[in-house]
Amino acid sequence: MKSQKVWFVTGASKGLGLSLVKELLAQDYLVVATSRTKKALENEIGDVENFLPLEVDITDDKDVARAVLSAIDYFGRIDVLVNNAGYGQTGALEELSESETRRNFEVNVFGSLNVIRHIAPHLRGQQSGHIFNIASIGGLVGNYPAFGVYCSTKFAVAGFSEALATEMEPFGVHTTVVYPGYFRTDFLSEGSLQTAANPIAAYITARESEATHLHEINGNQVNDPQKAATLLIEVSKLEQPPVHFLLGQDAYELAKNKINMLTAEIEKWKSYTVSTGFDESAK
């Protein structure tokens, strides 16, 4: 069993996580999958060899520690971590309560950090491994009305992933932050996407953005999660995998537009930007 890589995938009962787990099992990898309920995993995957479903609350550090030890006890090691668990929260910044905002960060940011904290020592010890942190194209492009808090969680994922890549590199451990575009999963369904409990009528653009995502984009996303799963497995085989990895033509176009906009703005204000140094000639 130890001759095949062991993958640890969070948020695996639906969406991209579920597609990835199914593809990994089809390719005979050993898979540890977590979800808030073990039954959800068992219903989707069934009784499959080389599969360990675990019920885990990733916001509970002790629960995460228990799950990681269970995985290592069962398979002997962990080779690839995929921090996929997360959810979308919409609402203008003024609308969202402290608890709504904190909860999105607890799951999308601190949950991933909990998992990294407990798996990193094992990857360091074996001097090998790969960590995939699933962000979003919203972690690179944040100008979506009603998605400010969600995007900020994904910007945070991108930020700590860059640092993690340099911290873990000396130990032979790769880090890749993934920026998916719109994939045809249930991420945007009314049962998955959380909306503001106390909306403010004045935020018309926020309501329009939410409606567009819930009723027009949902179900019509241009990207296939099965293809994303296959690509992630391919990237895991690379000797020098990317730190930043875009998924989808839409993600590519949005990223290019952001880079071009940022470049133009930087150059426009360059004279202001570079004017802050000490005037050494005045001495």
Side-chain angles (χ1 to χ4, degrees):
M1 291 178 67
K2 293 182 181 179
S3 63
Q4 185 60 286
K5 284 186 176 181
V6 179
W7 287 60
F8 190 106
V9 184
T10 70
S13 64
K14 59 184 178 180
L16 178 58
L18 179 59
S19 295
L20 177 59
V21 166
K22 287 181 175 179
E23 183 59 30
L24 286 167
L25 291 170
Q27 294 190 27
D28 296 322
Y29 284 94
L30 311 179
V31 180
V32 182
T34 82
S35 180
R36 287 173 295 176
T37 61
K38 185 178 178 180
K39 186 174 178 58
L41 292 167
E42 293 171 338
N43 289 343
E44 290 290 349
I45 305 298
D47 185 13
V48 179
E49 189 178 2
N50 295 344
F51 175 61
L52 177 64
L54 295 174
E55 186 168 310
V56 182
D57 177 359
I58 62 169
T59 68
D60 184 333
D61 189 61
K62 291 182 179 178
D63 204 27
V64 172
R66 174 196 57 78
V68 171
L69 288 178
S70 296
I72 292 172
D73 285 344
Y74 194 82
F75 284 126
R77 61 187 288 129
I78 295 171
D79 297 289
V80 183
L81 163 61
V82 182
N83 269 314
N84 174 70
Y87 72 95
Q89 173 69 63
T90 68
L93 295 179
E94 181 187 349
E95 294 175 320
L96 293 175
S97 66
E98 180 185 7
S99 61
E100 287 172 310
T101 301
R102 284 186 180 277
R103 180 61 184 168
N104 207 205
F105 271 86
E106 285 289 344
V107 175
N108 293 5
V109 180
F110 293 104
S112 292
L113 290 171
N114 287 341
V115 181
I116 290 168
R117 188 181 306 112
H118 290 288
I119 289 182
H122 301 282
L123 301 182
R124 274 195 299 109
Q126 65 199 28
Q127 295 284 294
S128 67
H130 198 152
I131 298 171
F132 287 93
N133 293 321
I134 309 300
S136 163
I137 190 57
L140 190 62
V141 181
N143 58 339
Y144 297 98
F147 283 83
V149 165
Y150 171 73
C151 287
S152 67
T153 68
K154 295 305 185 177
F155 268 78
V157 170
F160 73 63
S161 294
E162 285 192 354
L164 185 66
T166 60
E167 290 169 355
M168 298 299 285
E169 184 181 14
F171 309 110
V173 179
H174 301 296
T175 301
T176 299
V177 55
V178 182
Y179 304 91
Y182 288 102
F183 278 80
R184 200 168 299 177
T185 68
D186 60 358
F187 178 78
L188 292 176
S189 66
E190 295 197 32
S192 296
L193 190 67
Q194 302 295 307
T195 56
N198 297 296
I200 298 171
Y203 283 104
I204 297 172
T205 57
R207 298 293 83 75
E208 290 174 345
S209 178
E210 287 171 346
T212 297
H213 281 82
L214 285 167
H215 306 302
E216 295 179 29
I217 297 175
N218 184 38
N220 297 303
Q221 295 96 324
V222 297
N223 293 301
D224 181 352
Q226 176 62 40
K227 291 183 177 179
T230 302
L231 272 176
L232 290 178
I233 296 171
E234 288 303 308
V235 170
S236 76
K237 299 175 184 177
L238 299 175
E239 287 188 13
Q240 295 297 327
V243 173
H244 299 273
F245 185 55
L246 296 162
L247 271 180
Q249 178 73 28
D250 53 346
Y252 174 84
E253 296 297 338
L254 286 164
K256 290 289 287 185
N257 290 342
K258 173 65 177 285
I259 291 167
N260 291 338
M261 179 277 292
L262 191 57
T263 300
E265 195 163 37
I266 288 170
E267 291 305 317
K268 178 179 179 179
W269 299 101
K270 179 181 176 181
S271 62
Y272 281 43
T273 300
V274 301
S275 67
T276 60
F278 288 106
D279 186 0
E280 299 295 341
S281 65
K283 291 183 178 180

